[in-house]
Amino acid sequence: MKPGDVRKVAGGRQTVDFGRPALVLRLGPVASVRLGVRTAVTCVALLLLAAAVGVLALGTGEFTATPSEVLQALAGEGSRAVRLVVVEWRLPRVLLALLVGAAMGLSGAIFQALTRNPLGSPDVLGFSTGAYTGVLVCVVFIGRSYPETATAALIGGIATAALVYLLSLRRGVQGFRLIIVGIAISAVLSSVNEWFIIKVDLQTAVSATIWGKGTLNGLGWAQVTPAAVAIGGLSLMVLALGRRLQVMELGDDAAAAVGVGVERTRLAYLALGVALIAAATAVAGPISFVALAAPQLAHQLARTPGIALAPSAAMGALLLMGSDFLAARAFAPTQLPVGVVTVSIGGLYFVWLLARQARR
């Protein structure tokens, strides 16, 4: 096939995109997704690995079940005891790990593409810390139901993003300046969060400290539905923007030359990226390094020209699912906050990233 050639395949069309075989999947009358063949294979492989780890997590622990028993329970069959443990007790945590991980990977991909820098993730830029500040204020003064904490996380994240954006706005927003300002704001907000924890009562302080490390412990079906609706809706909004993010990676001048409204598009992606990380933070707290590492690891596997959204979301789901499995099983019966494991993985990632940059 030559560049631009198109032929129909099952579920969509196949074309050639800059010399690479690509699949174009129609999601309705106005929305479509273009995926390179290698990108699609990478996404499927990552999701299958995440599902395999999920099945392993569902069947291990103090009550064990074989993979076949787990699959039977998910299909509504098998013994009542297995269905109770697998479906009612363990499945919500697995689903939330996949959802939150995908949201973090997608948010990290958005910010790394906008800043054109591998350090441009919401935890480095301070947006995760700002969302956590909003949640702390909500927990102390209002309550801790998911709608309340999600709203507070969104307000805190957006307020932080607006502050970072305004302080970075000097002759146009530059990626490196945005990262430096974000690191400074994150440090200030971390101090504010510590002050909140010191001032509250002991029980609230202990709970907030553990949750502030990032944890999926104790979550159930009450959190799954609102998290799925919020993260799913935001992901569809990202898809609705089409391929503008790839154009933005070429630089402001190149994007403007092809008719993209640079500031309007940047603000739209900024709002969606903050909303995604706020939804994730409202569920599990400020989990570090998943949003930072997932886009780069996915980029290395998929070999895409720039940061790709779908592989980043799939890699984020796999990273958080695997990290939560280690957090729950490595020191059983003690369950660690998943953020402790992601910080350890993040340290290894930083070593790899520095070594890679040094070779270049």
Side-chain angles (χ1 to χ4, degrees):
M1 296 177 67
K2 298 178 181 179
D5 288 352
V6 176
R7 64 185 177 88
K8 293 183 179 180
V9 296
R13 297 178 299 165
Q14 181 173 339
T15 183
V16 174
D17 192 7
F18 297 103
R20 295 170 177 261
L23 297 174
V24 182
L25 305 178
R26 182 65 62 180
L27 301 179
V30 296
S32 64
V33 177
R34 181 188 294 267
L35 289 177
V37 172
R38 183 183 177 111
T39 302
V41 171
T42 300
C43 291
V44 171
L46 291 172
L47 291 175
L48 287 176
L49 283 173
V53 177
V55 170
L56 188 61
L58 291 172
T60 56
E62 294 185 9
F63 181 93
T64 60
T66 64
S68 61
E69 289 176 330
V70 170
L71 295 177
Q72 288 177 355
L74 294 177
E77 302 174 355
S79 68
R80 182 177 179 181
V82 174
R83 291 201 307 270
L84 175 65
V85 173
V86 170
V87 178
E88 297 298 328
W89 295 353
R90 293 177 180 170
L91 183 58
R93 179 168 177 161
V94 168
L95 293 177
L96 287 171
L98 296 173
L99 284 169
V100 172
M104 290 182 168
L106 190 57
S107 180
I110 289 172
F111 288 116
Q112 289 186 19
L114 289 179
T115 60
R116 299 188 291 278
N117 193 307
L119 293 177
S121 71
D123 41 354
V124 174
L125 294 172
F127 304 155
S128 298
T129 309
Y132 179 46
T133 303
V135 172
L136 277 179
V137 173
C138 178
V139 169
V140 172
F141 296 106
I142 302 175
R144 198 179 169 178
S145 67
Y146 182 78
E148 293 170 342
T149 55
T151 302
L154 182 61
I155 293 173
I158 289 178
T160 304
L163 181 60
V164 172
Y165 186 86
L166 291 175
L167 292 177
S168 305
L169 191 61
R170 181 182 178 186
R171 296 190 297 275
V173 175
Q174 300 297 323
F176 183 73
R177 188 187 304 132
L178 196 71
I179 291 172
I180 295 301
V181 173
I183 291 173
I185 297 298
S186 179
V188 174
L189 290 176
S190 295
S191 300
V192 173
N193 294 343
E194 293 296 332
W195 181 84
F196 265 111
I197 291 174
I198 291 172
K199 290 298 181 180
V200 298
D201 61 89
L202 181 60
Q203 184 177 358
T204 303
V206 171
S207 176
T209 301
I210 295 174
W211 187 77
K213 301 300 180 184
T215 181
L216 295 170
N217 298 342
L219 299 181
W221 284 108
Q223 289 81 25
V224 172
T225 300
V229 170
I231 293 172
L234 291 169
S235 300
L236 290 176
M237 291 181 189
V238 173
L239 287 178
L241 290 176
R243 305 185 69 191
R244 299 179 192 177
L245 191 63
Q246 288 88 338
V247 178
M248 292 290 290
E249 284 190 85
L250 301 176
D252 292 356
D253 294 338
V258 297
V260 174
V262 174
E263 291 302 324
R264 183 173 64 252
T265 302
R266 181 183 286 118
L267 285 174
Y269 275 115
L270 185 66
L272 289 173
V274 170
L276 281 166
I277 203 64
T281 302
V283 174
I287 299 174
S288 302
F289 290 110
V290 174
L292 179 68
Q296 292 299 315
L297 295 177
H299 172 64
Q300 292 298 313
L301 286 176
R303 300 291 176 86
T304 52
I307 298 298
L309 297 177
S312 299
M315 178 61 77
L318 175 60
L319 285 178
L320 192 57
M321 186 68 256
S323 298
D324 188 57
F325 175 75
L326 291 176
R329 303 289 184 259
F331 298 95
T334 302
Q335 294 189 358
L336 298 176
V338 66
V340 174
V341 177
T342 60
V343 166
S344 302
I345 295 175
L348 296 175
Y349 168 76
F350 262 125
V351 172
W352 171 79
L353 183 62
L354 291 173
R356 180 166 169 263
Q357 293 296 327
R359 285 196 303 267
R360 286 185 173 182

